[in-house]
Every structure is written in C-alpha cells, then in structure tokens.
Amino acid sequence: MAQVLEFKLPDLGEGLTEAEIVRWLVDVGDVVTIDQPVVEVETAKAMVEVPCPYGGVVTARFGEEGAELPVGAPLLTVAVESAEGAAVRGTSASGPSADRNTGSGEGLRPAGDGTGPAGESSGNVLVGYGTAAPAARRRRVRPSAFTAPLSSAPAPAPAPSSSPTPGIGAGEPMTAASTAAGASASASASTSAPAPASVARSSSVAPVAPVAVGHSSAADSGQMEGADENHGPVAVISPLVRRLARQHGLDLRHIAGSGRDGLILRADVESAIRGADDKRSADPEVQSVSESEPVAGAGERIPLRGVRGAVADKLSRSRREIPDATCWVDADATELMAARAAMNGAGTGTGGAAPKISVLALLARICTAALSRYPELNSTVDADAREIVRLPAVHLGFAAQTERGLVVPVVRDAHSRNAESISEEIGRLTEAARAGKLTPAQLTGGTFTLNNYGVFGVDGSTPIINHPEAAMLGVGRIVAKPWVHQGELAVRQVVQLSLTFDHRVCDGGTAGGFLRYVADCVEQPALLLRAL
C-alpha cells in the first residue's frame, strides 16, 4: 500500500520567485531517501542542490533541464509506503497525519514543537518546505482533463468538444498542455500506486500535474486565461503561448489547437509562426521591405533570467530610485605596492609562509577605515519612512566576474577584520563564486561595495550603486605613469579611484572627504596605523 506525495519547488530564500532546472539528479523509477538531493537548480543568486523531504520511488518529474519554474510549482512526485509498511516521515502510525501541506510557504519546525515525535523532521535547511503542522482538510477537486505528467504514457487522440473553452473548477491547478491521461496514471504506471481517489484521501492537497516543457503553469496566474483581451474567447491556458503569439502578431482565434478539447499549445503557435515566415519569404513585396528596413523582432533573443536577469533588475532599480553622483581622483600607489611587497615577504605562518595579502584586501581595509570616519556612506535610505538608516557594521561586497556573470560576494563584519583576514575571506569567496557554489546568504546583505575593474585593463568607470547601498568605490588598473614626486618628475605607479554615492545620504563635501582619505591612505599607507 503506497501513497503518492508531491514535492514542490521550495522558497530558496531572499525573495527569490523562480529557479531554472540545471540538472536532474534522479530519474523516474529511482528510489530516493529522505533529504537526498534530487535536482540542481540555478536561482538568480546561486546554484543549489534541492533535497527531497520524502523517501520512496520517483513517479514523475515536472519540467526538463533548462526549464524555469516558479516557487511552489511541482518538482516531482514520490510514492511512499503507508503506515502499514515502513515508517516514512509524515506517514508513520505514531507521527502526524499524512494530511499536511508540504508546498511552498510551510517552514521547518523543530523537533518536539507539537508536530510529531522528535526526529521526525527531515532536517533540511532550505526555506519554504519541510515538516509542517497538519493542514486543514480541503474539498478534493477532481483533476482537469488538461492535467497530465510528462512521464505518463501517450494520450489518446483528442476528442471533439462543443465548447472551445473548457470549464475549470475553482482553485484547480492547471498546466499549459495535456499529452497524457493524468497524474494518477503516471503513478500507477511507475509504482502500481492506488487509484486517484486513494491518493486524494492520503493528502490534503489535490495532485498537481507536471508542467509541460516550454509552457507556464496556469497556477502562476491562478486561473486559465480563457479569453483574449481584444479578440474574445480562445482555448489557451499558458501565458507564454499568449505572449509568443502577441510578439509575432498572431491572432489566436485563427489558430487551431492540437491539444485536448482544442487547447492551443506552444507547438501550434510556433507552427503558425513558421507558416507566416514562409508566406512572407514567398511574397516579393515583403522581401523588398525586409531588404530595405529591419524587421521588428529580428535578431537573437536572449532571456533575461538567472544571474543576468537579477543583475538587470537590480541595476535598473538603482538607476531608477537612487540620485547618484560620481567623483574621482588619481593617486600614487607606489608606496602601497611597496608596503604590500614588504608584508608578503616578511614572517611565516604555521607550517610555511604566511598567506599572501592581495591589493584588493588592502583597499578593502582602507575602505573600512574611511567608513569609520564617514559613516554616512555606510547607510541606506528608507524611502517610505523618508529616513536615512546608518548601519553599525560594514559588510563589504566586492565585484567578482565569473563564467555565470557578475556576482558580488559579501565579506561579513569587514570593519572588525585586519588585512590578512579580509584577504583570506576574499580568496575563499572568490573560489566559491568561480565554482558556482555561493549561497544566497553570501551574496546578500552588503552595506558598501568595492569594484576592482582594473583587472579588465581599464583606468576609470562610473559604477552603478548596488541597491540598496549608498555608495560604491571603483578602482582602475595600477599602471606606471609620469608623476610629480617630491618636486621632480618621476615614473610612479598610479591608480584612478572613483566614488559613486547616493546624493540623498550626503553632499559632495562628505563624498570628497571620503575619497580623499582613501587616496591619502593609498599614497601613504602609514596613515592606516591611526585607524587601528
């Protein structure tokens, strides 16, 4: 006797709303244990292996690699043994009822909090799922004819329908397309699970069908979009299908759906697009127009999602909300480079040479000293309350370019670290960033950002503030240039420093004072001794 439990994409924290499936770690039919990683997903902040809170046999997977799912969408279903078999979390005779909501939004509860015997919780630490209090029973909603898992058998030929827009039960989750019988059929084919009625009796949440690849679930919008806003009723569920048709100027009323009951699928719209393209290529007038002027929508389209999408959103918000200004100065870094060489050449650590101190770590240490003098720049603005919030600790972010794009790891409590400690932490976080293993917590919570664009061989920049911070210091390359030193022309190591700041938190005098202090410390590192 087994029951099929559904595992949904959990809330991975920090306000993330979706994740892209990078790699499935299990197949349909595999046996999984509690807390075994089942899928690797990429969020806007990091790569995460998601563990499954159930133990049993995988009966269905929802979405293919490369598909993007919203938080709360089904990931997979697992057939677990009931209380008559082995004791499975949430189904043992002495544990809590199997009628529990395990979807997104239910957090973890510690052992002994009234949800069951101690040790029953899976112990996972991801936000948004895990052992929860028993949910109230809800009326079972019969699965719609549109719902079907990807792993189930091929569907019979579509039957004609007298209505182009099938009815939908209130609150019933829907998928973008149906190519198979139903979620219970998948479970039966894989594990000989009981009929859907028994599944419904064992869970308080009605089974949700897998989301077809390339389509969005109607659960995103809460209901099926049964009517085109300009053209009347059409048999379409997926917002993606509507957007695709709108982008290519297609009228959905003129497209015949190949799905069940005439449902218009993405393949139907793509076929119509190809037909329209073939027609345009065969029309001499259209050809002459396309040769003389660019066609709207032409060119490669790259989705703004994942890290690239998160960067775009944050930078756009920064430009939209923060009235920023930039000031810059050239500084003679010859003495700073000499001090670094002396520090790295002196002393040994346990079992060998002491760790090397990077130039970025020295600049970070200078920044923390400058922020102690000018705390206005270590702050944020609460626009709703019309208040400037000065922050007590310096959590220093630094820009790091990786194969996945630009990320900003954060050195926690940088104000309490020396140059060596900062250098070690920057090195550790940089390696994690290159490996794609930074956690969301390591990428958030910064109060000030240091951006070393000199590694790209450029001298200057006007950085965009990392919202909701108040300032960012940019550092160009350190290069030999002619410089007046002690009244004589000499070749010195020169660097350009630029400060972009939120003009709401301070005026130019404060920003200039901060930047001048940083430049003075670069030119005379001994000034740092006063800040120790």
Side-chain angles (χ1 to χ4, degrees):
M1 189 68 176
Q3 60 176 332
V4 178
L5 299 180
E6 182 184 83
F7 174 42
K8 299 179 181 180
L9 177 64
D11 176 5
L12 301 174
E14 298 297 340
L16 299 175
T17 57
E18 65 275 326
E20 179 181 344
I21 297 176
V22 176
R23 180 168 57 101
W24 281 105
L25 305 179
V26 295
D27 293 317
V28 174
D30 287 355
V31 177
V32 297
T33 58
I34 292 177
D35 285 347
Q36 174 182 335
V38 293
V39 65
E40 186 179 56
V41 300
E42 180 180 17
T43 70
K45 300 184 181 297
M47 299 271 280
V48 179
E49 287 187 353
V50 181
C52 179
Y54 309 125
V57 179
V58 178
T59 60
R61 299 188 320 194
F62 296 70
E64 298 295 338
E65 294 179 356
E68 191 171 67
L69 299 180
V71 169
L75 267 181
L76 49 77
T77 54
V78 179
V80 302
E81 295 183 35
S82 64
E84 298 175 1
V88 179
R89 186 177 70 86
T91 59
S92 71
S94 59
S97 167
D99 266 321
R100 64 174 70 237
N101 186 346
T102 57
S104 173
E106 293 293 330
L108 294 177
R109 295 176 181 268
D113 68 344
T115 63
E120 231 179 22
S121 171
S122 66
N124 54 58
V125 295
L126 288 176
V127 178
Y129 72 96
T131 306
R137 289 186 177 270
R138 290 185 281 180
R139 181 175 61 85
R140 174 174 174 264
V141 179
R142 183 176 299 278
S144 169
F146 292 112
T147 58
L150 294 174
S151 58
S152 55
S161 173
S162 59
S163 172
T165 307
I168 303 175
E172 179 178 356
M174 303 292 295
T175 59
S178 174
T179 57
S184 59
S186 172
S188 300
S190 303
T191 62
S192 298
S198 61
V199 175
R201 284 193 299 270
S202 63
S203 174
S204 64
V205 181
V208 179
V211 179
V213 178
H215 296 264
S216 300
S217 171
D220 296 346
S221 60
Q223 62 181 2
M224 176 177 125
E225 299 183 23
D228 187 274
E229 55 190 14
N230 296 323
H231 302 295
V234 288
V236 178
I237 293 178
S238 172
L240 186 147
V241 172
R242 287 182 174 275
R243 184 171 67 248
L244 189 62
R246 186 165 55 249
Q247 288 173 347
H248 290 82
L250 297 178
D251 189 343
L252 289 172
R253 295 181 304 167
H254 300 156
I255 298 177
S258 62
R260 179 166 300 182
D261 295 326
L263 180 69
I264 298 175
L265 310 180
R266 180 176 181 177
D268 301 326
V269 176
E270 290 175 342
S271 177
I273 293 171
R274 288 192 297 269
D277 290 342
D278 294 341
K279 183 177 180 180
R280 282 194 295 266
S281 62
D283 190 337
E285 294 183 1
V286 175
Q287 286 182 348
S288 63
V289 172
S290 61
E291 292 173 358
S292 60
E293 52 186 63
V295 179
E300 181 183 6
R301 291 179 175 268
I302 302 174
L304 275 175
R305 63 186 186 186
V307 173
R308 187 73 263 156
V311 170
D313 293 340
K314 175 160 280 194
L315 296 184
S316 297
R317 184 177 183 184
S318 178
R319 277 292 192 223
R320 186 171 59 249
E321 297 183 6
I322 299 178
D324 60 338
T326 301
C327 53
W328 58 90
V329 65
D330 290 340
D332 181 0
T334 305
E335 296 300 328
L336 181 70
M337 300 302 290
R340 173 177 177 263
M343 295 170 69
N344 289 335
T348 57
T350 305
K356 299 293 184 182
I357 297 177
S358 66
V359 175
L360 187 64
L362 289 177
L363 291 169
R365 182 65 188 87
I366 291 173
C367 280
T368 59
L371 289 172
S372 67
R373 287 174 169 246
Y374 300 93
E376 297 93 334
L377 296 173
N378 192 61
S379 62
T380 187
V381 174
D382 186 340
D384 294 334
R386 296 185 61 81
E387 294 177 342
I388 298 172
V389 182
R390 292 189 182 178
L391 305 171
V394 178
H395 301 312
L396 188 70
F398 64 95
Q401 192 70 36
T402 70
E403 293 182 356
R404 298 176 59 240
L406 179 69
V407 294
V408 184
V410 177
V411 178
R412 302 287 171 182
D413 298 315
H415 63 287
S416 63
R417 297 173 181 262
N418 58 25
E420 182 175 329
S421 174
I422 292 176
S423 185
E424 290 178 352
E425 185 67 2
I426 288 176
R428 184 182 71 83
L429 292 172
T430 300
E431 288 302 316
R434 290 171 179 168
K437 296 182 179 179
L438 287 173
T439 65
Q442 293 172 321
L443 290 165
T444 55
T447 62
F448 186 93
T449 296
L450 179 61
N451 186 4
N452 179 22
Y453 43 77
V455 296
F456 303 119
V458 297
D459 296 327
S461 174
T462 55
I464 299 177
I465 297 174
N466 188 18
H467 186 279
E469 298 170 12
M472 176 185 292
L473 179 69
V475 182
R477 61 177 178 161
I478 300 176
V479 62
K481 289 184 179 181
W483 190 267
V484 177
H485 177 64
Q486 295 180 351
E488 296 183 359
L489 188 63
V491 176
R492 306 287 287 181
Q493 300 293 316
V494 179
V495 62
Q496 184 179 99
L497 307 171
S498 58
L499 176 71
T500 297
F501 63 98
D502 186 339
H503 223 314
R504 295 174 298 178
V505 304
C506 68
D507 295 326
T510 300
F514 173 92
L515 187 59
R516 187 65 254 172
Y517 180 80
V518 171
D520 290 344
C521 288
V522 168
E523 294 180 342
Q524 305 175 54
L527 289 177
L528 276 178
L529 294 175
R530 297 180 180 178
L532 296 178

